[in-house]
Structures are given as structure tokens and as C-alpha cells.
Amino acid sequence: MHALVSLLVLDPKLRKLRYLCALLIYAAILVMGSIPGARAEIGQYATGVVLHSLAYAGLTFLVFAGSEGSMRRRALKALLTIALMGAGDELLQSMFPYRGASIGDWLVDCSAATVTSALLWAVLPNTPSTR
């Protein structure tokens, strides 16, 4: 099990794939969020805060694990990337009459990125493969 986690999270050979997955998932979030009524349907199962927290924490993990450099650099890159992704998501939502942009949602995205980045920085080993 440890080898599998190490492969998925730390292996430099999969770094670009993890980053690409983050971009693809983000694109899927934008597309699904633009479908009329989709947000209302999923809202029956989870609140906006829960959805934003989980989605952007997952994206943060993928960006962090897909980045190169020191743990500090990876955390900062993940935070900035997620802040931009969250702002892009809210900007896109503002363009649809059935959706609306929310600073609160963007702050939830940034908070999820901050907590996730801090946990990854604290938990993951700072090995030569992550520097």
C-alpha cells in the first residue's frame, strides 16, 4: 500500500499526469457548472461549501503533487493556481443568468487550498525527488 501511495503522490514520472488531471477536472467542473439545473440537482446532496471544499481540495492535491520544487514552492504554486481557478470559476458563473458569482465561494476555494497545501507540506517527505 505504501508503494502505491508513493507512486501516485511522489513519483516524478507521474508529475505531469497529476497536473494534467487537475486541469481536466477543473475543465469538467466548469462545464458541469454551466449546465442549467445541474447545480440545483447536486445541491440536494451537498451544500455549496461542501462541494467547493472537496473539489478545490482535490485540485490542490493534484496541483501540489504535480508541481516541482521545494515543498514551500509547491504549496505556493498550488495556492496561487487554485486562487486563479476559483476566480475563473466564479467569473464564468457570473456570465450565466441562472448562476451567480460569489466571493464567499472563492474564499472557500482558497481556504480549502490553504488547508490542503499546509497538510501536504507537513505530511509529505521532503525527499530529493520533491525538491
Side-chain angles (χ1 to χ4, degrees):
M1 180 70 173
H2 179 66
L4 178 62
V5 171
S6 181
L7 174 71
L8 294 175
V9 177
L10 301 174
D11 192 334
K13 292 181 277 188
L14 298 178
R15 185 172 284 138
K16 288 183 182 179
L17 184 60
R18 289 187 292 266
Y19 205 85
L20 178 63
C21 283
L23 295 176
L24 291 174
I25 291 169
Y26 176 65
I29 289 169
L30 295 180
V31 169
M32 289 186 290
S34 300
I35 298 170
R39 174 60 185 93
E41 286 182 32
I42 200 166
Q44 297 174 3
Y45 302 102
T47 66
V49 171
V50 171
L51 291 173
H52 276 265
S53 296
L54 293 175
Y56 284 91
L59 288 173
T60 302
F61 170 79
L62 290 169
V63 171
F64 188 101
S67 298
E68 294 183 90
S70 68
M71 298 304 260
R72 177 181 180 204
R73 181 182 174 103
R74 293 166 76 182
L76 289 173
K77 184 175 184 179
L79 284 169
L80 291 173
T81 301
I82 296 305
L84 290 173
M85 285 178 163
D89 184 12
E90 296 306 317
L91 178 65
L92 182 66
Q93 288 177 22
S94 73
M95 296 178 188
F96 294 99
Y98 50 88
R99 295 296 311 263
S102 168
I103 295 291
D105 285 349
W106 180 74
L107 290 173
V108 170
D109 302 342
C110 293
S111 298
T114 301
V115 170
T116 304
S117 292
L119 288 172
L120 291 170
W121 187 351
V123 172
L124 292 180
N126 197 9
T127 62
S129 65
T130 62
R131 287 189 191 145

